Amino acid sequence: VRTALGVDMAEAAISLACGRQLHLLATGARPTPTAQLILGVRRAGLLTYDELGAASLGRESWVHSLSFDMAIGRPVQAFINGRTRVGEATIVAATREELNARVEEFYSRLRLDIQLESASR
Protein backbone atom coordinates (compact mmCIF):
# COMPACT_ATOMS: atom_id res chain seq x y z
CA VAL A 1 0.00 0.00 0.00
CA ARG A 2 2.87 2.38 0.79
CA THR A 3 4.54 1.72 -2.55
CA ALA A 4 1.40 1.60 -4.69
CA LEU A 5 -0.51 4.48 -3.10
CA GLY A 6 2.00 6.36 -0.96
CA VAL A 7 -0.01 5.63 2.18
CA ASP A 8 1.59 4.58 5.46
CA MET A 9 -1.05 2.26 6.91
CA ALA A 10 0.39 2.30 10.45
CA GLU A 11 0.41 6.10 10.51
CA ALA A 12 -3.13 6.18 9.09
CA ALA A 13 -4.38 3.75 11.76
CA ILE A 14 -2.83 5.80 14.56
CA SER A 15 -4.28 9.03 13.15
CA LEU A 16 -7.76 7.49 12.94
CA ALA A 17 -7.47 6.03 16.46
CA CYS A 18 -6.59 9.52 17.75
CA GLY A 19 -9.65 10.98 16.05
CA ARG A 20 -7.71 13.00 13.48
CA GLN A 21 -9.21 13.57 10.06
CA LEU A 22 -7.41 11.62 7.39
CA HIS A 23 -6.94 12.32 3.69
CA LEU A 24 -5.27 9.27 2.23
CA LEU A 25 -4.99 10.16 -1.44
CA ALA A 26 -4.55 13.43 -3.24
CA THR A 27 -7.35 14.19 -5.68
CA GLY A 28 -6.54 12.62 -9.04
CA ALA A 29 -3.69 10.53 -7.62
CA ARG A 30 -3.07 7.36 -9.61
CA PRO A 31 -1.75 4.19 -8.00
CA THR A 32 1.69 2.93 -8.99
CA PRO A 33 1.41 -0.57 -10.50
CA THR A 34 3.05 -2.71 -7.80
CA ALA A 35 3.61 -6.44 -7.33
CA GLN A 36 4.29 -7.91 -3.90
CA LEU A 37 5.93 -11.27 -4.61
CA ILE A 38 5.97 -13.95 -1.95
CA LEU A 39 8.82 -16.24 -3.00
CA GLY A 40 8.49 -19.99 -2.69
CA VAL A 41 9.53 -23.23 -4.34
CA ARG A 42 7.40 -25.97 -5.93
CA ARG A 43 8.76 -28.87 -3.89
CA ALA A 44 10.92 -29.60 -0.86
CA GLY A 45 14.69 -29.63 -1.16
CA LEU A 46 17.73 -27.43 -0.67
CA LEU A 47 17.21 -23.81 -1.68
CA THR A 48 19.08 -22.50 -4.71
CA TYR A 49 18.93 -19.22 -6.62
CA ASP A 50 21.28 -17.16 -8.74
CA GLU A 51 23.19 -15.02 -6.24
CA LEU A 52 24.56 -12.71 -8.94
CA GLY A 53 21.05 -12.42 -10.42
CA ALA A 54 19.67 -11.52 -6.99
CA ALA A 55 22.39 -8.93 -6.47
CA SER A 56 21.77 -7.34 -9.87
CA LEU A 57 18.00 -7.33 -9.26
CA GLY A 58 18.60 -5.56 -5.96
CA ARG A 59 20.23 -2.71 -7.90
CA GLU A 60 17.32 -2.26 -10.33
CA SER A 61 15.27 0.90 -9.75
CA TRP A 62 12.07 -1.09 -10.28
CA VAL A 63 12.87 -3.58 -7.49
CA HIS A 64 11.94 -1.69 -4.33
CA SER A 65 12.88 -4.55 -2.03
CA LEU A 66 14.19 -8.10 -2.18
CA SER A 67 14.85 -10.23 0.89
CA PHE A 68 15.34 -13.89 1.66
CA ASP A 69 14.23 -15.78 4.76
CA MET A 70 16.53 -18.71 4.02
CA ALA A 71 20.13 -18.99 2.86
CA ILE A 72 21.17 -20.95 -0.21
CA GLY A 73 21.62 -24.62 0.64
CA ARG A 74 19.10 -24.59 3.50
CA PRO A 75 16.29 -27.17 3.47
CA VAL A 76 12.95 -25.66 2.43
CA GLN A 77 9.41 -26.96 2.03
CA ALA A 78 7.14 -26.64 -1.00
CA PHE A 79 5.28 -23.32 -0.96
CA ILE A 80 1.81 -23.62 0.54
CA ASN A 81 1.38 -20.22 2.21
CA GLY A 82 3.40 -17.48 3.87
CA ARG A 83 4.74 -19.92 6.46
CA THR A 84 6.66 -21.81 3.77
CA ARG A 85 7.95 -18.82 1.85
CA VAL A 86 11.66 -18.31 1.22
CA GLY A 87 11.56 -14.54 0.74
CA GLU A 88 9.73 -11.60 -0.75
CA ALA A 89 10.12 -8.79 -3.25
CA THR A 90 8.31 -5.58 -4.17
CA ILE A 91 8.38 -4.55 -7.84
CA VAL A 92 6.98 -1.41 -9.49
CA ALA A 93 6.34 -0.22 -13.04
CA ALA A 94 4.64 2.55 -14.99
CA THR A 95 1.89 0.30 -16.41
CA ARG A 96 0.31 -3.06 -15.66
CA GLU A 97 1.78 -4.51 -18.86
CA GLU A 98 5.26 -3.35 -17.90
CA LEU A 99 4.74 -4.78 -14.40
CA ASN A 100 3.85 -8.18 -15.84
CA ALA A 101 7.02 -8.13 -17.96
CA ARG A 102 9.16 -7.12 -14.97
CA VAL A 103 7.74 -9.94 -12.84
CA GLU A 104 8.67 -12.42 -15.58
CA GLU A 105 12.15 -10.89 -15.86
CA PHE A 106 12.54 -11.00 -12.08
CA TYR A 107 11.85 -14.73 -11.86
CA SER A 108 13.97 -15.44 -14.95
CA ARG A 109 17.01 -13.66 -13.50
CA LEU A 110 16.54 -15.00 -9.96
CA ARG A 111 16.24 -18.65 -11.05
CA LEU A 112 14.69 -19.67 -7.73
CA ASP A 113 14.73 -23.47 -7.40
CA ILE A 114 15.71 -26.40 -5.20
CA GLN A 115 18.29 -29.12 -5.30
CA LEU A 116 16.99 -32.48 -4.17
CA GLU A 117 18.61 -33.49 -0.90
CA SER A 118 19.32 -37.04 -2.12
CA ALA A 119 21.22 -35.61 -5.12
CA SER A 120 23.53 -33.67 -2.79
CA ARG A 121 24.87 -36.80 -1.05
Side-chain angles (χ1 to χ4, degrees):
V1 172
R2 182 189 310 251
T3 301
L5 300 172
V7 174
D8 182 329
M9 293 300 289
E11 183 180 318
I14 292 168
S15 293
L16 287 171
C18 293
R20 291 186 224 136
Q21 190 171 13
L22 189 62
H23 300 285
L24 293 178
L25 299 175
T27 303
R30 297 183 57 78
T32 300
T34 305
Q36 183 66 38
L37 307 178
I38 305 301
L39 306 177
V41 294
R42 293 181 186 260
R43 55 187 175 160
L46 303 176
L47 180 64
T48 66
Y49 60 84
D50 185 329
E51 287 183 275
L52 293 176
S56 71
L57 285 164
R59 292 188 297 272
E60 294 285 0
S61 63
W62 47 272
V63 178
H64 277 211
S65 66
L66 170 58
S67 62
F68 293 94
D69 303 330
M70 307 284 187
I72 289 177
R74 299 292 303 177
V76 295
Q77 297 300 312
F79 181 80
I80 298 170
N81 58 38
R83 292 182 187 163
T84 54
R85 73 180 213 164
V86 299
E88 70 178 19
T90 305
I91 296 174
V92 298
T95 66
R96 177 57 191 249
E97 294 74 23
E98 181 182 52
L99 183 63
N100 291 343
R102 286 182 172 174
V103 167
E104 284 186 38
E105 178 181 348
F106 177 88
Y107 282 115
S108 174
R109 288 170 58 183
L110 186 59
R111 297 188 331 185
L112 185 64
D113 204 355
I114 56 104
Q115 176 183 8
L116 295 178
E117 292 186 60
S118 60
S120 67
R121 293 181 184 166

